[in-house]
Amino acid sequence: MNSTVLSLLAAFLLSLMGLFAFMWSMRKGLLVENPGAASAIFTPGEIGQADDPTLTAHDRERLQKAINATNAKTPDERWHNEPDTDFTREQRMLADESSRWPVLLLLVFAVLWLVLGSLAGLTASLKLHMPDWLVAEAWQTFGRMRTMHLTAVFYGWITNAALAAIVWLTPRLMRTTLRGAPWVVLGAVFLNIGVASGIGAVGIGWTAGMEYLEIPWQIGIFVGLGLVLIAINVFRTVRHRTVAHLYVTSWYHLAALLWIIVLFTIGKLPGVHYGVQQATMNWWYGHNVLGLWFTPVSVGIIYYFLPKVIGRPVRSYNLSILGFWTLAFFYAQVGGHHLVGGPVPGWLVTLSIVQSMMMIVPVLAFAINMVCTIRGRVHLTQYSPTLRFMVFGAVMYILSSLQGSFEALRAVNRVAHFTHFTVAHAHLGAYAFVTMVLFGAIYFMLPRVLHREWAWPRLIAVHFWLAATGIMVYFIFLTIGGWLQGTAMLDAAKPFMDSVAVTIPYLQWRSVGGSLMVLSHLVFAGHVLAMLLNVKPERSGPALWGDPAKAAAALEVPHAK
């Protein structure tokens, strides 16, 4: 059996399993509108109350006043009752404490790889319009530098930060303590041994030669083992849950853990994938690692933190579950549109295009839900840094997904394929959506993990605007340059070098945007370091240093019954 058939069969079986699970959930009534499940993220007394530990006491009071004024104008009768739970703040604090050290380790690794990976990415960007810069050593060449950037960012930054969010949120949502925390720590160590070794291997020229799968399979064993160890203990925690309803965030996160393990295992199987079949598997993996790992983790994070900050349950729990199942049904085959014009069966590409267009369904379900949840409350983003990151990421998810669906069409793909247009689109998803959401989650989580306030809360706004401006400059100019590049390549009367020359001004702007993004990462990393080192700036009000238990309690929402 060749690898093309194997990949398709695996995807079919996953979809079939999803179908049966969907039928089971319908029989159990899990898709019926469920206000109790929608409010499962709150303890009694929290609905209608602001919750953002990035804020000082004064700023939290301003946010609460804005929420109260908005709720008075647009009351929602559905949420007048308390959440159907006896889960208390103290129990939630115990859940947070149980995951403290694994989450902290994962976040430290994530920030480290973010800084190193983004510096490598900026170097690669500069080399596109300064090709004679840094050419003395082989590891400094564009091909290796860009691959080290991808490995550090995808497996180092995003994967570590995503796992930290899953490990932190799962005990909260299951209303229990994390099981097997030492094993999660060991899994994090294995994962990052694999990332560091994979980057080193790429630097010396040892690579598997497939995009997003460059880590050699011998080193990939460490990455896979780390993922499995973490996943086992997350599911052990789920098994000991005391919650009556599985909140939608858990659906996304638990499925994402299973998907990434299956994807990575199939992608790294040695001696199985060759030739055209290898290309088919490569883009089956390459797109699914974005859509079935990064996307569900980030969407799940938004579904938790956005309602949590504003104290308002998600508008339609039914829509959130619909979005989950349609993502599971439609995403598995979208990677084939990267092979338009290649020596692959036409039906495979057509199937991919159809699946890509069907992805509009889960995106619209998410968009409608978020718009209805935050309707009349967008102005609250000026008060809450966490909310600002979440709303920005949610908007970028909608835009990047819709762009991706239409980019799969043959007419668009004909121009955009093999150009910087595709690179711009990838960054709209992986950075403007995923990374910005992860930033917001870390800003919320780390005070609860360390029992400390952020040293300089105003730096969070500086970080946001540098990052948001940088990615917009990056995306807009690279999109324009990529489209011009594609039209030039299609013009038979023009030499190929014309398609290269036309991109130079836009590549320079790409580096400007990248520089702003790297600067934002340095601000972010410096702020995290200050928090780790327990920096105590002068303040007009009291800080939360001192007894950890008191500090943790002070960071919790102070209005629970």
Side-chain angles (χ1 to χ4, degrees):
M1 183 182 295
N2 63 44
S3 61
T4 303
V5 175
L6 182 64
S7 298
L8 289 172
L9 181 60
F12 174 74
L13 290 176
L14 285 173
S15 298
L16 194 62
M17 291 168 59
L19 177 61
F20 280 109
F22 177 67
M23 293 168 63
W24 173 84
S25 67
M26 290 188 67
R27 291 192 62 187
K28 293 292 183 179
L30 297 182
L31 296 186
V32 177
E33 196 61 68
N34 190 341
S39 60
I41 63 176
F42 300 98
T43 63
E46 286 186 351
I47 291 180
Q49 303 298 318
D51 187 5
D52 189 348
T54 65
L55 299 174
T56 63
H58 173 68
D59 289 336
R60 192 177 297 116
E61 184 179 350
R62 292 176 62 224
L63 174 60
Q64 186 61 58
K65 287 181 178 178
I67 289 175
N68 292 341
T70 303
N71 290 343
K73 293 178 182 177
T74 56
D76 194 336
E77 299 293 336
R78 297 176 308 143
W79 310 121
H80 280 188
N81 297 324
E82 295 291 346
D84 182 20
T85 177
D86 56 1
F87 192 55
T88 65
R89 284 194 305 137
E90 289 72 20
Q91 290 172 313
R92 188 168 64 197
M93 289 163 59
L94 288 175
D96 289 351
E97 190 65 24
S98 69
S99 64
R100 183 184 184 191
W101 294 110
V103 169
L104 183 59
L105 181 64
L106 287 163
L107 289 180
V108 168
F109 276 127
V111 175
L112 173 66
W113 293 123
L114 171 69
V115 173
L116 296 179
S118 56
L119 288 173
L122 179 59
T123 303
S125 178
L126 290 169
K127 289 173 74 66
L128 286 172
H129 53 89
M130 298 166 56
D132 295 327
W133 181 55
L134 292 181
V135 294
E137 302 291 338
W139 67 270
Q140 297 172 343
T141 57
F142 173 82
R144 297 190 190 181
M145 192 61 68
R146 179 181 182 273
T147 304
M148 288 189 287
H149 159 68
L150 282 176
T151 304
V153 171
F154 271 44
Y155 297 102
W157 155 243
I158 296 180
T159 297
N160 273 291
L163 289 170
I166 293 173
V167 171
W168 190 75
L169 285 173
T170 299
R172 278 190 156 219
L173 293 169
M174 298 301 114
R175 296 174 187 164
T176 187
T177 55
L178 178 68
R179 264 55 178 189
W183 292 103
V184 176
V185 169
L186 183 61
V189 171
F190 277 130
L191 169 65
N192 287 281
I193 288 174
V195 174
S197 302
I199 293 173
V202 170
I204 65 173
W206 180 23
T207 171
M210 294 181 286
E211 190 161 8
Y212 306 145
L213 281 168
E214 291 90 352
I215 297 176
W217 70 264
Q218 295 90 338
I219 296 174
I221 291 173
F222 288 94
V223 176
L225 182 58
L227 291 170
V228 169
L229 280 173
I230 294 171
I232 286 173
N233 290 285
V234 167
F235 278 93
R236 284 182 61 205
T237 304
V238 174
R239 183 184 176 190
H240 291 87
R241 68 190 180 274
T242 62
V243 66
H245 306 288
L246 279 184
Y247 187 64
V248 64
T249 294
S250 295
W251 289 68
Y252 278 106
H253 286 179
L254 298 177
L257 279 175
L258 293 176
W259 284 330
I260 186 57
I261 291 171
V262 171
L263 290 168
F264 193 79
T265 301
I266 293 176
K268 299 311 297 180
L269 284 175
V272 176
H273 315 293
Y274 296 99
V276 173
Q277 291 86 357
Q278 186 184 67
T280 305
M281 184 283 302
N282 189 186
W283 282 109
W284 171 79
Y285 175 86
H287 229 295
N288 284 342
V289 77
L290 294 169
L292 297 180
W293 174 227
F294 298 164
T295 295
V297 171
S298 302
V299 169
I301 288 172
I302 294 172
Y303 267 118
Y304 182 86
F305 287 105
L306 190 148
K308 192 78 171 65
V309 171
I310 64 176
R312 186 173 192 250
V314 65
R315 181 62 180 83
S316 172
Y317 193 76
N318 198 14
L319 264 183
S320 67
I321 297 298
L322 176 66
F324 168 79
W325 284 113
T326 49
L327 174 74
F329 288 163
F330 299 139
Y331 205 98
Q333 295 298 333
V334 302
H337 72 253
H338 284 274
L339 301 171
V340 170
V344 295
W347 63 264
L348 190 150
V349 175
T350 300
L351 173 64
S352 172
I353 295 171
V354 172
Q355 296 275 60
S356 297
M357 296 306 296
M358 290 302 295
M359 276 301 298
I360 294 175
V361 176
V363 173
L364 286 182
F366 173 83
I368 293 169
N369 218 358
M370 289 299 105
V371 168
C372 291
T373 300
I374 203 168
R375 182 174 56 186
R377 294 164 173 82
V378 177
H379 65 284
L380 299 177
T381 56
Q382 66 183 300
Y383 303 103
S384 168
T386 300
L387 186 63
R388 196 177 303 135
F389 279 102
M390 293 300 157
V391 171
F392 185 89
V395 172
M396 291 302 110
Y397 167 57
I398 297 167
L399 294 179
S400 63
S401 296
L402 293 177
Q403 183 194 36
S405 293
F406 287 98
E407 191 177 339
L409 296 174
R410 284 183 171 89
V412 179
N413 204 290
R414 180 171 175 266
V415 180
H417 207 30
F418 301 122
T419 70
H420 296 295
F421 186 97
T422 305
V423 179
H425 167 68
H427 281 76
L428 189 66
Y431 192 93
F433 162 42
V434 175
T435 290
M436 294 296 273
V437 167
L438 291 175
F439 283 146
I442 291 171
Y443 278 123
F444 191 102
M445 292 190 299
L446 206 52
R448 300 283 169 83
V449 172
L450 292 176
H451 309 321
R452 302 169 187 166
E453 290 179 304
W454 287 100
W456 298 282
R458 300 303 179 219
L459 279 184
I460 302 175
V462 173
H463 172 206
F464 174 83
W465 289 112
L466 283 173
T469 303
I471 187 57
M472 288 297 98
V473 169
Y474 187 108
F475 172 74
I476 291 170
F477 283 95
L478 205 58
T479 297
I480 297 170
W483 194 263
L484 294 176
Q485 178 189 14
T487 55
M489 285 196 295
L490 289 173
D491 189 344
K494 293 182 178 180
F496 176 76
M497 285 306 297
D498 283 5
S499 69
V500 176
V502 74
T503 65
I504 298 300
Y506 302 97
L507 292 176
Q508 292 169 340
W509 276 106
R510 165 187 171 152
S511 294
V512 171
S515 299
L516 292 174
M517 292 152 67
V518 170
L519 181 57
S520 79
H521 301 164
L522 295 176
V523 170
F524 171 64
H527 208 178
V528 170
L529 182 62
M531 198 173 197
L532 292 172
L533 296 178
N534 202 2
V535 173
K536 303 178 183 179
E538 293 296 327
R539 291 172 179 260
S540 57
L544 297 176
W545 321 120
D547 181 69
K550 291 181 179 179
L555 280 165
E556 280 289 331
V557 181
H559 41 70
K561 294 181 178 178

